[in-house]
Amino acid sequence: MDETRQQDSPSAQRSFHPQKYAPAKGPGRRVSKEEAGNPHGKPSKSMGTRGEDQEKGTGEKGMHDSARGRSQRPSGTKDASATTGVDPQDPQGMRSAG
């Protein structure tokens, strides 16, 4: 069996003791006139739909809300009336109300 030994690594000593080996901090950067104050302007109102409201579904024709698995996470299916194409077909076991 090979003998296991640890090699001396001076870079590891420098890496784990930056207060001793790292150079002092510089002056930092200058903040420009454009960045000073509030650079992003006024906050805007969110236009997205809240998660609580997304669960309710869209009510679009051909779309069906369902729950998936034991966790009952929201899911959904669609039938041929919600599909665009040359010859939309309903999935096996589903019939469109026509």
Side-chain angles (χ1 to χ4, degrees):
M1 194 183 269
D2 291 336
E3 180 182 335
T4 304
R5 61 188 177 96
Q6 188 173 359
Q7 289 182 330
D8 188 31
S9 176
S11 64
Q13 182 72 14
R14 290 190 301 269
S15 298
F16 289 104
H17 300 285
Q19 68 278 7
K20 184 176 178 183
Y21 295 100
K25 284 189 171 188
R29 67 181 189 92
R30 290 190 196 142
V31 177
S32 69
K33 181 178 69 171
E34 291 82 10
E35 285 182 298
N38 185 1
H40 304 293
K42 292 189 288 186
S44 62
K45 183 155 176 70
S46 173
M47 302 302 285
T49 308
R50 294 176 52 118
E52 296 87 354
D53 298 333
Q54 288 181 3
E55 180 185 356
K56 296 174 187 164
T58 61
E60 293 180 33
K61 180 182 174 193
M63 304 298 277
H64 308 284
D65 291 333
S66 62
R68 184 180 358 186
R70 203 172 80 192
S71 65
Q72 295 299 299
R73 288 190 172 156
S75 184
T77 59
K78 64 181 180 178
D79 58 28
S81 65
T83 305
T84 59
V86 176
D87 187 21
Q89 302 285 320
D90 278 325
Q92 191 101 6
M94 288 189 68
R95 293 286 177 214
S96 177

